[in-house]
Amino acid sequence: MKSTPWWREAVIYQIYPRSFYDSNGDGEGDLAGITSHLEYVRDLGVDAIWLSPFYTSPNKDGGYDVADPRDVDPRYGDLEDAKALIKRAHELELRVLADIVPNHFSDQHEWFKAALKSGRGSSERSRFHFYDAKPDGTPPNNWVSLFGGAAWTQVSDGQFYLHLFDSSQPDLNWENPEVNADFETTLRFWLDLGIDGFRIDVAHGLVKENIHVNHPDPEGLSDALRLDVEMDTDARNALLESVPYFDRQGVHEIYRKWRTLFDSYGARDVMAVAEAWVHPPVNATRYVRADELHQVFNFDLLTAPFHSGYLFEVINRSNQLNATVNALPTWALSNHDSPRVASRLGALESQALALFVFALPGSAYIFAGQELGLPDGELQDSDRQDPSFIRSKGAIKGRDGARVPLPWSGNSTPFGFTVGTPWLPINQSWQPLSVESQSRDSKSLLNLYRSAMALRTEHLTGAGEIEWLESPLHGSLREGLLVFKRGSVTIVMNLSEQILEVDYSGQVILQSAGDLENCDGKHIVPARSTVWILN
Ligand code: GLC
Ligand code: CA
């Protein structure tokens, strides 16, 4: 019988290479810096790392504008550094996921340069979406970039090209078989170098339909469809459901082909996780059907309020929907595109929620720095580099706050991240949050994460489904307290402002706030905290 594949309930640690550790003093993190700190990652107790893009790139969108997907950008090192990183990770029993960006290339990719030179109607242009202007000279349709402004940019001979993101990120035409062939070459290239799987960027966006159709609601479109998670969720969902360039049936054919490629690596258990912003939620499960990808991100918790009824609904929904395709859910509280959870919900709340989701079935994603409780960095507008800030002329602050480098050690900024000037400033107030400060303090969040990972592996991985328990206090699941049992552990999250006393037999093995207290089978659960009780 085949054993459970490694990824099914893996904890995956997302590293934003530019912000992790700078090995050569230029102020930007790099691959050698990651390699030299992999023991820290291993000691956290995670199973794998996911590296945000480190490929050759002009870096207009944090490396998600790829100029050569089969090489390393000099700011991060070279291919030898990538090999060394993979080798060291494997020695430490960490798997490595790379980020693959199939929706678009950078305008500095040789294909796009050739497309500009070759002119209208050329095979070079057919790798992208080049169209003539409408008779009145305006763009082919009214689609809007997710970073603000029109999704079309005009080139010198009058044609326009499509870019759902920045104008430096021309969308690829997936109806051209050369595009898939090139991506399969890229997937094999990294797999042959030892990569264990992929995070697929904008996995829902590859296929565009009805390019000649204007969006019926251009007003709504221009206001609403932004990557920025601060936008109104209902408005975003309405658009995700209706735009002709997301979540088309054709994307699934691509992932079926890729699955065959992944499976050809056999016992290595190559896995892929889709970044798919889709609506309604049931659509996400299509990406993880048996012959497609292995995981799909669930973004509900990036925006969820700290509210018991809401969390109960979204967690249940994700468990149930994934079960219909025999997949397990994924959980993420932060990533490089969203405000950090400590800032969004608060310190106590984010710790309580972390312990709650680490006990759920499925895979948990941790964004580097989350284990330190980092808030969003305090930035001046002059520091900001996110294209959504630039394209919206400052109306959208963008995602740089979540991308501030990690504080490692010492008493003054930049806390060992670099001996130079960090590419984004690290606030002096982060001194108590550094890895060094928190390693010394047995009650730090970092040590709580380490304990949580170890106890998860010991008691929860593979423990099957959850069983919601009635709240003994309110007679309702949805009022201020959420309780479930999984395997031999009862997990209690107190979302209220009051200290609660609960009566579940067993020993408290972990809690997100306050001191462990057990008295006569009763347990004290501080306000806004989670406890794990071993039955
Ligand atoms: C994804 C990435 C984001 C990037 C965008 C365009 O959503 O997570 O950082 O800006 O794709 O590639
Ligand atoms: Ca560097």
Side-chain angles (χ1 to χ4, degrees):
M1 213 181 89
K2 199 171 171 339
S3 60
T4 309
W6 70 269
W7 45 265
R8 214 159 139 88
E9 292 198 67
V11 179
I12 297 174
Y13 184 78
Q14 180 192 356
I15 293 180
Y16 197 72
R18 203 177 179 197
S19 301
F20 196 67
Y21 187 85
D22 175 22
S23 72
N24 62 356
D26 64 2
E28 302 189 68
D30 42 56
L31 296 186
I34 297 171
T35 307
S36 65
H37 286 68
L38 283 175
E39 280 171 41
Y40 166 76
V41 179
R42 189 268 318 270
D43 290 346
L44 269 176
V46 304
D47 303 287
I49 57 173
W50 146 32
L51 300 168
S52 281
F54 49 82
Y55 316 113
T56 314
S57 166
N59 207 37
K60 294 272 179 57
D61 181 23
Y64 285 93
D65 47 324
V66 179
D68 182 351
R70 300 190 281 275
D71 205 352
V72 173
D73 194 275
R75 82 176 67 226
Y76 298 124
D78 58 24
L79 277 174
E80 291 309 311
D81 294 316
K83 286 185 203 162
L85 189 163
I86 297 167
K87 180 165 176 278
R88 182 70 187 131
H90 288 169
E91 281 165 12
L92 295 169
E93 296 186 5
L94 292 166
R95 313 263 178 163
V96 184
L97 307 185
D99 212 315
I100 205 89
V101 190
N103 182 67
H104 43 265
F105 275 157
S106 158
D107 61 357
Q108 297 307 302
H109 189 286
E110 58 173 56
W111 276 12
F112 193 74
K113 292 187 191 165
L116 289 185
K117 280 204 202 101
S118 306
R120 50 161 55 73
S122 61
S123 58
E124 285 82 358
R125 283 209 177 172
S126 76
R127 294 161 172 161
F128 300 92
H129 295 282
F130 275 89
Y131 288 93
D132 287 331
K134 286 203 289 204
D136 64 0
T138 59
N141 67 32
N142 68 351
W143 296 359
V144 169
S145 157
L146 276 81
F147 290 155
W152 295 95
T153 290
Q154 196 162 28
V155 301
S156 57
D157 63 15
Q159 281 208 305
F160 284 86
Y161 66 89
L162 176 71
H163 52 88
L164 293 183
F165 296 90
D166 190 51
S167 56
S168 67
Q169 293 166 297
D171 280 53
L172 286 158
N173 174 15
W174 277 83
E175 282 178 30
N176 183 335
E178 275 185 84
V179 173
N180 189 56
D182 188 70
F183 271 85
E184 293 205 350
T185 303
T186 298
L187 295 172
R188 286 186 196 284
F189 177 86
W190 292 107
L191 290 170
D192 294 342
L193 229 70
I195 286 286
D196 300 288
F198 302 97
R199 178 261 190 191
I200 301 173
D201 190 65
V202 197
H204 56 310
L206 278 46
V207 174
K208 279 83 181 172
E209 281 174 9
N210 299 331
I211 243 165
H212 296 289
V213 171
N214 275 335
H215 191 275
D217 178 15
E219 297 302 318
L221 188 61
S222 54
D223 285 351
L225 194 59
R226 304 255 192 260
L227 268 192
D228 197 296
V229 292
E230 284 157 44
M231 75 168 283
D232 177 67
T233 308
D234 291 340
R236 182 180 57 217
N237 286 343
L239 281 152
L240 286 177
E241 215 172 338
S242 63
V243 291
Y245 45 77
F246 282 154
D247 202 24
R248 302 293 100 186
Q249 285 307 318
V251 297
H252 298 289
E253 283 162 37
I254 298 166
Y255 301 130
R256 285 193 192 103
K257 282 191 209 132
W258 287 16
R259 179 58 180 259
T260 311
L261 187 158
F262 299 148
D263 286 350
S264 73
Y265 284 78
R268 275 179 51 189
D269 270 339
V270 171
M271 71 83 78
V273 53
E275 186 212 21
W277 290 88
V278 298
H279 194 76
V282 67
N283 288 13
T285 63
R286 296 189 192 145
Y287 292 77
V288 287
R289 288 177 289 201
D291 59 347
E292 295 194 36
L293 303 174
H294 307 77
Q295 294 183 345
V296 58
F297 282 120
N298 163 11
F299 293 121
D300 291 337
L301 299 182
L302 294 178
T303 52
F306 193 67
H307 179 272
S308 49
Y310 193 97
L311 291 168
F312 176 80
E313 294 292 335
V314 296
I315 289 170
N316 255 349
R317 185 173 68 197
S318 192
N319 284 336
Q320 286 164 5
L321 287 176
N322 279 281
T324 64
V325 285
N326 194 30
L328 288 178
T330 61
W331 310 104
L333 301 180
S334 287
N335 66 23
H336 66 294
D337 290 330
S338 333
R340 282 192 176 269
V341 66
S343 288
R344 198 175 68 75
L345 295 182
L348 280 181
E349 291 82 351
S350 58
Q351 293 164 31
L353 190 57
L355 288 201
F356 198 72
V357 306
F358 290 155
L360 291 168
S363 223
Y365 282 77
I366 297 174
F367 179 43
Q370 185 187 323
E371 76 281 14
L372 303 174
L374 297 187
D376 288 324
E378 287 164 37
L379 300 176
Q380 306 296 316
D381 282 355
S382 54
D383 298 323
R384 297 187 194 278
Q385 305 194 12
D386 187 338
S388 64
F389 175 79
I390 297 163
R391 286 182 68 84
S392 73
K393 302 193 174 57
I396 293 174
K397 290 294 176 200
R399 302 161 293 174
D400 295 304
R403 300 174 178 179
V404 170
L406 263 55
W408 288 93
S409 60
N411 294 323
S412 49
T413 181
F415 303 112
F417 163 72
T418 178
V419 294
T421 306
W423 71 280
L424 287 175
I426 310 176
N427 200 289
Q428 181 57 38
S429 65
W430 284 15
Q431 194 274 333
L433 300 177
S434 76
V435 172
E436 184 181 53
S437 305
Q438 296 204 42
S439 294
R440 280 200 218 109
D441 173 6
S442 63
K443 291 187 180 159
S444 66
L445 183 64
L446 173 58
N447 278 315
L448 182 76
Y449 266 62
R450 289 174 176 156
S451 304
M453 293 304 118
L455 291 167
R456 171 185 162 101
T457 306
E458 191 180 344
H459 300 293
L460 293 161
T461 310
E465 292 177 11
I466 67 173
E467 179 195 345
W468 292 105
L469 302 184
E470 285 294 319
S471 154
L473 293 161
H474 304 274
S476 158
L477 285 169
R478 296 152 198 247
E479 285 298 322
L481 190 71
L482 286 177
V483 189
F484 68 83
K485 192 167 161 18
R486 183 158 180 252
S488 52
V489 186
T490 302
I491 289 92
V492 184
M493 176 160 62
N494 174 8
L495 295 98
S496 78
E497 307 279 359
Q498 297 141 30
I499 300 179
L500 297 177
E501 194 181 84
V502 296
D503 197 357
Y504 296 105
S505 61
Q507 185 73 22
V508 173
I509 51 171
L510 193 66
Q511 69 183 72
S512 67
D515 289 318
L516 290 190
E517 267 183 80
N518 293 294
C519 19
D520 303 334
K522 295 194 189 304
H523 308 285
I524 305 298
V525 188
R528 311 200 153 227
S529 78
T530 296
V531 300
W532 290 10
I533 302 166
L534 184 64
N535 310 130

